């Protein structure tokens, strides 16, 4: 993702040549699709049964967190954590009378 050899610590009591932020350095893209379905079933007059299904992160995509930005660290420039959660499925039922 980034070349750790391109960065070095400046000499003590001096400023480096790198700006405070790197506008061209961004983390990976984030794409997360969620789907929800619902169905109402009329049992009889005044009685309704509703079924819902919600799927979060439908395609189970892994999105990594931003790379480590601590210069001199062993993990500098590496991804060490995940930004999103794995797929979650929620089923709900509701009976209204």
């Amino acid at each position: 993702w980034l070349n750790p050899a391109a960065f070095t610590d400046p000499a003590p009591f001096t400023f480096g040549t790198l700006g405070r932020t790197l506008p061209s350095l961004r983390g990976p893209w984030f794409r997360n699709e969620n789907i929800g379905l619902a169905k109402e079933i009329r049992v009889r007059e005044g009685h309704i049964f509703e079924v819902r299904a919600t799927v979060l992160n439908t395609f189970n995509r892994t999105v990594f967190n931003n790379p480590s930005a601590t210069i001199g660290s062993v993990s500098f420039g590496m991804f060490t954590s995940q930004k999103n959660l794995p797929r979650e499925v929620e089923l709900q039922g509701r009976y209204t009378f």
Side-chain angles (χ1 to χ4, degrees):
W1 190 259
L2 95 106
N3 181 9
F7 299 88
T8 59
D9 281 328
F13 307 109
T14 62
F15 293 109
T17 58
L18 186 64
R20 186 175 62 87
T21 60
L22 287 173
S24 61
L25 179 63
R26 300 278 187 246
W29 54 270
F30 189 94
R31 182 178 288 165
N32 193 20
E33 295 86 2
N34 302 325
I35 293 177
L37 300 171
K39 174 72 177 171
E40 282 188 0
I41 302 167
R42 299 200 182 276
V43 180
R44 60 184 180 147
E45 188 176 344
H47 292 249
I48 300 171
F49 182 66
E50 183 179 3
V51 179
R52 288 183 169 266
T54 306
V55 182
L56 306 174
N57 193 8
T58 305
F59 301 112
N60 206 21
R61 298 179 196 261
T62 302
V63 178
F64 295 105
N65 223 344
N66 292 336
S68 174
T70 307
I71 296 176
S73 170
V74 175
S75 63
F76 176 67
M78 295 172 55
F79 296 104
T80 57
S81 62
Q82 184 176 343
K83 187 181 285 188
N84 65 341
L85 297 173
R87 179 186 304 129
E88 293 181 21
V89 179
E90 298 175 359
L91 297 174
Q92 302 171 355
R94 177 177 159 180
Y95 189 76
T96 307
F97 56 94

